[in-house]
Amino acid sequence: QDNRISIWSVGDLGNVGLNSEYQGEPQLLCDIRHNGDVMDMQFLDQERIVVASSTGTVTVFRHHQNNQTLSANQRWEKAHYHVGQDTSCGGAACTGVICNNPEIVTVGEDGRINVFRADQKDAVRTIDNADSSTLHAVTFLRTTEILTVNSIGQLKIWDLRQQRNEPSQIFSLTGDRVPLHCVDRHPNQQHIVATGGQDGMLSIWDIRQGTMPVSLLNAHEAEMWEVHFHPSNPDHLFTCSEDGSLWHWDTSTDVSEKPSFLHQGGRSTTYFSHNTVNQSVISAWLSNDPTKDRMEITNLIPNQTLSVNSLDVLGPCLVYGTDAEAIYVNRQLFA
């Protein structure tokens, strides 16, 4: 009922003890009340955090580092709403937010897409009926293009330079309209996109070709809540799920040099090929010759039973939050 945005310090990376144990407990630096459930949040820059609320409001909070306080810097009330923005009834949940300073893009249960600018009171652009179903997540493809995923298994590309309110491309999962919950774009190869959804499958798409995923990989036993390519090592991908697992997908290994491995806790082993000569040209995520190679998958939290709701990754650090009301920081991803 009572929600807060909190800023934590998780200790200095430099303070490593003898057993690679990190010194210092995480410390709560400051927090501030938040109206509604926190659906998503993103740093806009070093000081500002954009937060999506279940009330439909989008707030920019500023972190004042000199005195460790948080304040609401800017607020777009009912950026998402079902009936009318000015009626007394509640807004529609804002389900996702993505920032590319100064631009902020939000999506919501109302099927609406908003483009805000950090220092402008009104939306720069609103696509009112962007989708007839709930939009669950959004990410930038390029500075002028965004990708959205919705509750009927579709991935859509929107060109923000175009005035028309239609997607420039629509991709969809075949057959069942499985809701998609999360999307991420490969940091170097912008045509490669990963999505996950209600059935726990990981889908890899090549948006240059076809309208269906290049590969569907058996993954979690329940909803996949978040998918992230490692920003600087994109051969590594991370997914987390309602089933309490957090998987590290590694396509960087050359199996001929390693002993055989079986993947832990999953439903199937997926084979992938590698072309080491053209490593930079042919991404391991897109190859599908099963004879040469396979990817390695590790469940980073094998005994967890509660949902892993969110994750993020930067350098050697992985941070994730679970239904155990706890935040975990794993600092030895590539140990």
Side-chain angles (χ1 to χ4, degrees):
Q1 296 300 309
D2 177 23
N3 294 311
R4 307 185 84 77
I5 303 291
S6 308
I7 301 258
W8 295 80
S9 163
V10 291
D12 185 8
L13 275 173
N15 301 338
V16 187
L18 293 171
N19 315 326
S20 303
E21 288 295 312
Y22 286 85
Q23 307 300 309
E25 285 292 301
Q27 281 187 319
L28 178 64
L29 298 179
C30 51
D31 63 3
I32 191 169
R33 286 199 59 170
H34 179 267
N35 203 1
D37 293 345
V38 177
M39 304 296 286
D40 198 6
M41 52 182 177
Q42 282 258 319
F43 276 98
L44 176 67
D45 54 27
Q46 291 288 321
E47 293 186 333
R48 290 178 294 178
I49 305 133
V50 183
V51 182
S53 171
S54 59
T55 63
T57 295
V58 177
T59 311
V60 183
F61 290 98
R62 186 179 288 274
H63 175 212
H64 305 276
Q65 294 175 5
N66 52 352
N67 60 357
Q68 291 306 343
T69 55
L70 273 166
S71 64
N73 185 236
Q74 191 163 7
R75 187 173 277 128
W76 293 284
E77 295 284 349
K78 285 193 197 166
H80 294 273
Y81 55 92
H82 283 305
V83 190
Q85 205 164 8
D86 42 5
T87 58
S88 56
C89 65
C94 175
T95 50
V97 56
I98 191 81
C99 303
N100 187 8
N101 195 0
E103 290 198 324
I104 298 161
V105 178
T106 70
V107 296
E109 273 179 12
D110 53 358
R112 191 174 269 109
I113 298 173
N114 290 308
V115 183
F116 296 108
R117 230 173 237 130
D119 301 314
Q120 292 185 19
K121 196 161 66 80
D122 297 319
V124 180
R125 172 95 188 266
T126 295
I127 305 177
D128 270 329
N129 299 308
D131 214 302
S132 55
S133 59
T134 295
L135 288 169
H136 281 142
V138 59
T139 192
F140 275 98
L141 187 57
R142 299 183 179 78
T143 48
T144 55
E145 281 183 309
I146 55 167
L147 288 166
T148 58
V149 291
N150 69 12
S151 59
I152 55 170
Q154 292 173 323
L155 173 67
K156 296 183 182 181
I157 298 181
W158 305 82
D159 186 339
L160 299 175
R161 291 165 302 189
Q162 302 289 337
Q163 281 314 300
R164 58 197 188 96
N165 293 341
E166 315 276 294
S168 52
Q169 272 175 286
I170 299 180
F171 303 84
S172 58
L173 295 169
T174 47
D176 308 335
R177 299 187 149 202
V178 177
L180 290 172
H181 292 308
C182 52
V183 57
D184 197 28
R185 187 206 80 203
H186 190 290
N188 312 336
Q189 295 175 309
Q190 297 178 332
H191 53 277
I192 302 174
V193 173
T195 63
Q198 190 170 306
D199 59 0
M201 299 277 277
L202 173 64
S203 308
I204 305 290
W205 313 69
D206 181 346
I207 58 173
R208 299 169 305 184
Q209 51 180 324
T211 55
M212 294 183 315
V214 186
S215 53
L216 285 167
L217 305 171
N218 274 330
H220 302 280
E221 303 289 336
E223 291 93 336
M224 184 190 295
W225 292 130
E226 195 101 71
V227 57
H228 274 296
F229 284 101
H230 191 287
S232 51
N233 277 331
D235 284 346
H236 299 266
L237 178 101
F238 300 86
T239 58
C240 65
S241 167
E242 180 73 27
D243 67 9
S245 60
L246 193 161
W247 284 16
H248 174 188
W249 306 69
D250 178 2
T251 61
S252 69
T253 45
D254 183 16
V255 170
S256 58
E257 298 165 14
K258 294 187 89 168
S260 151
F261 42 70
L262 288 165
H263 96 214
Q264 305 165 1
R267 288 184 256 171
S268 71
T269 301
T270 310
Y271 287 87
F272 263 79
S273 72
H274 254 336
N275 186 329
T276 37
V277 186
N278 281 342
Q279 191 78 37
S280 58
V281 185
I282 300 174
S283 169
W285 293 110
L286 297 184
S287 27
N288 49 14
D289 172 359
T291 53
K292 290 189 199 150
D293 207 346
R294 71 177 103 161
M295 69 162 76
E296 191 170 5
I297 300 167
T298 318
N299 182 4
L300 298 180
I301 34 177
N303 303 322
Q304 231 267 356
T305 51
L306 296 172
S307 174
V308 185
N309 301 321
S310 188
L311 75 92
D312 206 355
V313 58
L314 186 66
C317 270
L318 170 78
V319 58
Y320 57 96
T322 77
D323 270 358
E325 298 187 10
I327 301 162
Y328 298 86
V329 181
N330 173 344
R331 300 176 183 263
Q332 292 175 294
L333 272 187
F334 304 115

